[in-house]
Amino acid sequence: MSTDTPTTTPLRDRALRLRELVADGVLVLPNAWDAGSAAVIASAGAGAIATTSGGVSWSLGHGDGQQLGRAEMVEAARRIAAAVDLPVSVDAEGGYGPKPSDVAETVRALVGVGAAGVNLEDSTAVGGPLFAVAEQAARLRAAREAAAEAGLPELVVNARTDVFLFGLGGLDDVLVRAQAYAEAGADGLFVPGLLDLDALTRLCAASPLPVNAMAMAGGPSVTELAATGVRRISVGTGLAQHAYTAARRAAAELLGAGTLTELEGALGFGELDALYRH
């Protein structure tokens, strides 16, 4: 008798694959914000998909920073995971509640819709302050335990610290958190806002966890970031911003000059439509 559930072998395989991609080299993750963008990113050759909370929130009519509720984010994650045959790591912001039990509920829900990984940040709000180190460690431990209870102990837990993003400390502060987060069961350390190559090199050499950097336009290239020792590179809202910018430029041209040059070079209707014909 079949007992096929979201936590049977296919999802475990995806979680293990996500682990392998980091262990075997540098995982580059162009972040998706809906099923369509995930399918397009997969068609470009991505080995895995990461979501961006900002992009998901904008696509659903909300601002970033946990203005979207747990249920809406989980449903968005379900659609993205169903659209691709790749591991999906979901940006779960701060876990949609301050308590370890809130984080656990979020993780159980995300495993249930096919997430192979999850990002959890240590900001209490946009701009800070951050959860105390022990508090965030407890929240990460709850995530680890919830994944196991949901049948996916292989879930990749990427612990994000906003020390540099919000200017709330330096490298020593990040390393204190890295040690505590590793002991709590995290699998990776995400440090958005840190793009100084020398500092990243020092962090990668000292961190007990593989480091995830967030690339951005005008900053170091993937090659330069990889040379510091980072194992995972994402772009946050970068692709979503670019896509929405392209839409506004095309709309402004159509409404202004009435021409369509901004639409030249677009993916063909048939090529896009074929991505969703399973």
Side-chain angles (χ1 to χ4, degrees), residues 66 70 89-97 99-100 102-108 110 117-123 131 136-147 155-162 181 185-186 188-192 212 232:
Q66 297 198 95
R70 178 190 290 115
S89 180
V90 176
D91 179 354
E93 304 190 79
Y96 304 102
K99 297 180 293 185
D102 297 318
V103 175
E105 183 177 350
T106 296
V107 167
R108 285 192 294 267
L110 287 173
V118 62
N119 263 35
L120 291 165
E121 61 200 46
D122 57 12
S123 296
F131 285 100
Q136 185 62 8
R139 285 159 40 84
L140 291 168
R141 194 171 296 110
R144 182 87 276 151
E145 292 170 356
L155 181 80
V156 177
V157 177
N158 202 32
R160 170 176 146 175
T161 181
D162 289 337
Y181 297 172
L189 180 72
F190 182 25
V191 193
N212 180 174
R232 180 167 159 161

Side-chain angles (χ1 to χ4, degrees), residues 156-177:
V156 177
V157 177
N158 202 32
R160 170 176 146 175
T161 181
D162 289 337
V163 168
F164 276 93
L165 185 63
F166 298 138
L168 299 173
L171 201 56
D172 288 344
D173 300 288
V174 171
L175 286 170
V176 168
R177 288 180 177 271

Side-chain angles (χ1 to χ4, degrees), residues 141-239:
R141 194 171 296 110
R144 182 87 276 151
E145 292 170 356
E149 291 167 1
L152 190 67
E154 302 88 350
L155 181 80
V156 177
V157 177
N158 202 32
R160 170 176 146 175
T161 181
D162 289 337
V163 168
F164 276 93
L165 185 63
F166 298 138
L168 299 173
L171 201 56
D172 288 344
D173 300 288
V174 171
L175 286 170
V176 168
R177 288 180 177 271
Q179 185 61 48
Y181 297 172
E183 292 171 359
D187 300 297
L189 180 72
F190 182 25
V191 193
L194 178 58
L195 287 173
D196 179 276
L197 296 176
D198 289 338
L200 271 172
T201 300
R202 294 196 300 274
L203 175 61
C204 291
S207 173
L209 293 170
V211 175
N212 180 174
M214 186 170 73
M216 60 185 297
S221 67
V222 166
T223 300
E224 291 171 318
L225 290 170
T228 69
V230 301
R231 306 306 296 272
R232 180 167 159 161
I233 300 170
S234 50
V235 293
T237 57
L239 285 187

Side-chain angles (χ1 to χ4, degrees), residues 17-153:
R17 179 59 182 154
L18 187 57
R19 290 177 176 276
E20 290 169 359
L21 288 167
V22 174
D24 294 344
V26 179
L27 174 59
V28 180
L29 293 162
N31 301 72
W33 59 96
D34 60 11
S37 60
V40 167
I41 290 167
S43 75
I49 300 292
T51 73
T52 160
S53 66
V56 172
S57 297
W58 299 338
S59 74
L60 295 174
H62 297 275
D64 195 15
Q66 297 198 95
Q67 295 187 45
L68 195 65
R70 178 190 290 115
E72 289 175 292
M73 186 62 79
V74 169
E75 175 57 21
R78 182 194 65 76
R79 291 193 295 269
I80 290 169
V84 295
D85 293 322
L86 295 173
V88 174
S89 180
V90 176
D91 179 354
E93 304 190 79
Y96 304 102
K99 297 180 293 185
S101 59
D102 297 318
V103 175
E105 183 177 350
T106 296
V107 167
R108 285 192 294 267
L110 287 173
V111 169
V113 297
V118 62
N119 263 35
L120 291 165
E121 61 200 46
D122 57 12
S123 296
T124 63
V126 176
L130 307 185
F131 285 100
V133 175
E135 287 182 287
Q136 185 62 8
R139 285 159 40 84
L140 291 168
R141 194 171 296 110
R144 182 87 276 151
E145 292 170 356
E149 291 167 1
L152 190 67

